[in-house]
Amino acid sequence: MTLKILLCGEAPCGAWDAERISQALRTAVPELDLLDVETSFERVQGAGEARKASGASHFDLALVSLPQEGRDQLPSLKLCAPFVVAAIKDASFFKSAAAAGASEIVCAGEGFETRLDAVLQSYSRRLAIAKLSSDIGLRRELPFIAMLSHELKSPLATVEGYLRMMEARESGDAISNYDRMIKRSLLRLNAMHKLIGDIIDLARAESSGTSREMTRHELRAVCKEAVEPLLDAAGSRGISIDCQAPDGLSFNSAQGDLRAIISNLLSNAVKYNRSGGSVHLSLSQNAGILKIKVADTGIGMAPEELGRLSCEFARIRNSDTREIPGSGLGLSIVRRIASLYGGSLSIESKRGEGSSFIVELREAPSGQNKEL
Amino acid sequence: MNEHKSKGYAGKTALLVEDDPDCMEQVKTHLENAGFSVATAETQLEAERLIEDKAFDLAVFDLMLENKDSGFILSYKAKKRNSATPVILITCVASEAGLHFDSFEEDPMGWVKADAILDKQIRFEQLDREIDRLLLVPA
């Protein structure tokens, strides 16, 4: 088990020292040695790099130090991990850090290291418990539940709103006056069905520690199963989908995992594509690693939008994406399943040109019931 | 057309900030039926520009926009622009996020600048009551 910690900037007294921080964590939880817990660190400079790093990888904790003139960067510090800010003794800096969502703020000055150690010790036990109990993880506490509630309640609230407007005959007596409300209600209910399906997929992928039966799956058949439901939507906008997989390519996996990965990536590639665009799915295997790549000629993403994709329910909202429905859970599902196979998801994208999503999975030995 | 009882809001302006297009349409229609001239924004950033430009007679903000606390930030900025502007927050996540607000309760830190927080499963009669209360319209 590895606790991943992001270090941003240069802390007072050189406090962002990996060895020192590891020691502080162990002091609170001496059992960490018995539990085979390691700490890994990644260092960045500045809020922009921190945001990008936390968007690309999961971190259990981030320690952030910015110079006084760096306070302007604080509002943009949207990290997908709890983070501690080493602040200067300045009220407005303190407020900015709080507004940016800092979990803890430790002011520089005499006694800084002692105060920092106390903060680290309070985190270490929570992190260890969260990891050990196979719960969904520290960073997914209440905010995930709040977001899930928001995503489930919103469509219901809007459908109810339209029905009340119809009940009150807000637009007169003719049913045709309500065609748009009826169409929007059906669209929102359909999106809700998809969201519930995604939540079930995510819950299934999250149930690590449960023995899952691994069987051999032929990849061309899985691709066909994933592509089929998208053909109507793609065809109606002139979007082509092609698939390249070597003949006979197969992979040992739990039922539904490969389908979930490929379906979610293809669905996004179609949704965020241009009319007349294309989607290219390619699969290859080398030295036991399966590589799944989905490339599209879609609207693409700016770097700051890319950094937000690691959060659940993250949807890039701009003028191009406003009308595009989605649960925001698709990439969480892909990422979680990939991690079960010791793999990863990487994303390359350019606004206005398109995106590529690459998943790599390590194969378990054939015939094994894998405890994941 | 259902005749909406006028509360004398003709000539008054409202700022509505909501990223859900359906909720936006419903609340905007209701406010316009009540006589408000409604300016709209879909993001915190757009709303901040509108708040900078002018003060409104009423503000209605969704809590979660591009940031989870956009509504709080906009409330603060709207009050800073004009402390007399009544602000109503609408949200789906009040109880799940542990936000139990009583609009009559003074919050000890003075952080929440909204005058009322309503659940997004909004009943327009409730919205009307809050608007009347905040704009001090006699019952």
Side-chain angles (χ1 to χ4, degrees):
Chain A
M1 175 166 73
T2 303
L3 297 179
K4 286 189 69 176
I5 300 172
L6 178 65
L7 302 174
C8 173
E10 297 298 328
C13 316
W16 285 178
D17 173 73
E19 187 51 45
R20 216 189 133 275
I21 292 168
S22 296
Q23 188 56 40
L25 291 172
R26 279 186 166 69
T27 305
V29 190
E31 297 85 356
L32 281 179
D33 282 333
L34 295 173
L35 296 169
D36 193 23
V37 173
E38 294 180 351
T39 45
S40 77
F41 296 88
E42 182 172 333
R43 288 185 186 274
V44 296
Q45 295 292 331
E49 283 186 37
R51 190 175 63 249
K52 199 173 171 186
S54 86
S57 290
H58 165 67
F59 289 93
D60 296 292
L61 182 65
L63 304 176
V64 176
S65 175
L66 295 171
Q68 184 169 3
E69 58 271 19
R71 89 181 65 196
D72 293 338
Q73 299 177 41
L74 280 167
S76 66
L77 195 69
K78 298 178 201 320
L79 301 185
C80 296
F83 64 98
V84 175
V85 171
I88 60 168
K89 275 196 173 177
D90 176 292
S92 66
F93 195 107
F94 196 98
K95 285 181 188 171
S96 296
S103 312
E104 290 282 350
I105 301 169
V106 183
C107 282
E110 195 177 323
F112 171 79
E113 287 179 336
T114 305
R115 290 195 294 277
L116 178 65
D117 283 351
V119 166
L120 289 176
Q121 283 159 20
S122 78
Y123 269 102
S124 60
R125 190 168 291 277
R126 287 167 64 197
L127 286 169
I129 289 170
K131 289 263 185 182
L132 288 169
S133 66
S134 297
D135 283 343
I136 53 176
L138 184 64
R139 77 180 170 98
R140 296 188 187 209
E141 287 172 345
L142 188 58
F144 178 81
I145 295 170
M147 290 301 295
L148 181 59
S149 170
H150 179 273
E151 295 300 310
L152 285 171
K153 283 186 179 178
S154 284
L156 285 177
T158 56
V159 170
E160 184 176 347
Y162 280 136
L163 287 173
R164 289 198 187 282
M165 290 173 79
M166 291 164 70
E167 183 184 39
R169 305 292 192 267
E170 293 265 350
S171 299
D173 289 331
I175 188 68
S176 56
N177 295 346
Y178 301 97
D179 282 350
R180 189 177 176 280
M181 292 185 196
I182 293 168
K183 192 175 172 185
R184 288 295 306 172
S185 297
L186 290 170
L187 199 70
R188 296 305 293 265
L189 289 172
N190 192 43
M192 205 169 166
H193 277 296
K194 175 74 172 55
L195 171 62
I196 291 168
D198 284 350
I199 291 167
I200 291 169
D201 274 348
L202 187 60
R204 192 168 54 76
E206 290 281 346
S207 60
S208 51
T210 304
S211 180
R212 301 205 300 157
E213 189 176 338
M214 311 295 274
T215 50
R216 200 120 203 110
H217 293 89
E218 203 273 325
L219 270 299
R220 279 195 177 179
V222 174
C223 290
K224 191 176 174 199
E225 190 190 341
V227 166
E228 201 67 38
L230 298 169
L231 290 176
D232 278 348
S236 68
R237 294 170 55 208
I239 297 169
S240 63
I241 305 177
D242 71 272
C243 174
Q244 271 187 341
D247 201 18
L249 179 64
S250 62
F251 191 78
N252 208 34
S253 64
Q255 183 67 31
D257 281 358
L258 296 176
R259 194 258 330 142
I261 288 174
I262 297 173
S263 290
N264 275 294
L265 295 182
L266 285 178
S267 172
N268 282 345
V270 170
K271 271 194 300 195
Y272 293 97
N273 215 319
R274 314 168 182 288
S275 293
S278 61
V279 175
H280 183 63
L281 166 63
S282 61
L283 292 93
S284 60
Q285 188 167 33
N286 187 26
I289 295 178
L290 176 68
K291 183 174 167 182
I292 303 169
K293 181 176 176 180
V294 174
D296 65 64
T297 56
I299 57 179
M301 289 170 280
E304 60 274 13
E305 292 172 330
L306 203 59
R308 286 175 22 218
L309 285 187
S310 65
C311 302
E312 274 93 6
F313 303 111
R315 270 176 282 165
I316 309 304
R317 292 179 190 259
N318 54 46
S319 54
D320 290 328
T321 64
R322 186 178 174 268
E323 297 292 328
I324 299 175
S327 68
L329 286 178
L331 290 185
S332 293
I333 292 166
V334 171
R335 204 173 266 114
R336 181 59 185 139
I337 295 174
S339 74
L340 292 175
Y341 292 85
S344 63
L345 164 68
S346 58
I347 308 169
E348 295 159 7
S349 187
K350 202 162 179 190
R351 191 93 159 87
E353 291 185 16
S355 305
S356 291
F357 291 76
I358 301 161
V359 174
E360 291 188 342
L361 308 175
R362 293 176 193 281
E363 187 168 24
S366 181
Q368 181 178 341
N369 275 1
K370 182 165 181 174
E371 184 90 17
L372 293 174
Chain B
M1 177 75 69
N2 184 39
E3 287 292 328
H4 184 90
K5 182 180 172 186
S6 171
K7 299 277 188 178
Y9 297 138
K12 291 210 181 288
T13 58
L15 171 61
L16 170 60
V17 185
E18 170 61 68
D19 60 355
D20 183 311
D22 298 301
C23 189
M24 164 81 85
E25 180 180 332
Q26 291 167 17
V27 178
K28 182 172 185 265
T29 302
H30 188 77
L31 292 174
E32 284 174 343
N33 285 346
F36 286 96
S37 167
V38 182
T40 60
E42 292 175 15
T43 66
Q44 177 186 324
L45 196 59
E46 263 181 73
E48 284 172 356
R49 288 191 197 119
L50 289 173
I51 290 169
E52 258 179 52
D53 267 347
K54 63 182 275 189
F56 292 87
D57 296 306
L58 172 71
V60 180
F61 301 142
D62 185 14
L63 175 59
M64 289 166 68
L65 299 165
E66 61 265 45
N67 298 310
K68 292 185 177 64
D69 56 356
S70 287
F72 290 138
I73 296 169
L74 290 175
S75 301
Y76 173 80
K77 295 201 173 188
K79 289 289 190 186
K80 198 173 167 190
R81 180 66 169 82
N82 177 15
S83 59
T85 299
V87 174
I88 298 175
L89 283 181
I90 50 177
T91 175
C92 279
V93 297
S95 55
E96 290 79 2
L99 302 174
H100 295 287
F101 290 95
D102 182 329
S103 52
F104 300 106
E105 185 182 324
E106 190 80 26
D107 78 283
M109 302 296 289
W111 286 347
V112 179
K113 300 301 178 187
D115 298 290
I117 298 181
L118 300 179
D119 195 277
K120 216 169 203 182
Q121 198 171 350
I122 199 167
R123 294 189 68 98
F124 288 121
E125 301 84 15
Q126 189 184 3
L127 178 61
D128 288 343
R129 278 199 299 275
E130 289 296 337
I131 292 173
D132 288 348
R133 178 179 70 83
L134 293 168
L135 290 178
L136 300 177
V137 173

